[in-house]
Amino acid sequence: MVLRRDDPFAQVIVPDHKELDGGTLRAIIRQAELSVEDFT
């Protein structure tokens, strides 16, 4: 899955799986420029 934001531009690839590994999820959160606290 490709998630994208236009302003400011950002694009994150998210695997389309039922469960994600914790490291993969943290990497996605980091790429989206969020903190873990912002995500929860």
Side-chain angles (χ1 to χ4, degrees), residues 18-29:
K18 209 171 200 180
E19 292 185 26
L20 295 177
D21 182 68
T24 303
L25 182 57
R26 279 191 294 279
I28 292 168
I29 292 169

Side-chain angles (χ1 to χ4, degrees), residues 4-34:
R4 142 180 195 181
R5 170 180 68 205
D6 288 327
D7 190 25
F9 180 79
Q11 184 169 304
V12 179
I13 308 294
V14 179
D16 188 18
H17 299 286
K18 209 171 200 180
E19 292 185 26
L20 295 177
D21 182 68
T24 303
L25 182 57
R26 279 191 294 279
I28 292 168
I29 292 169
R30 187 173 46 251
Q31 288 174 20
E33 299 178 357
L34 297 171

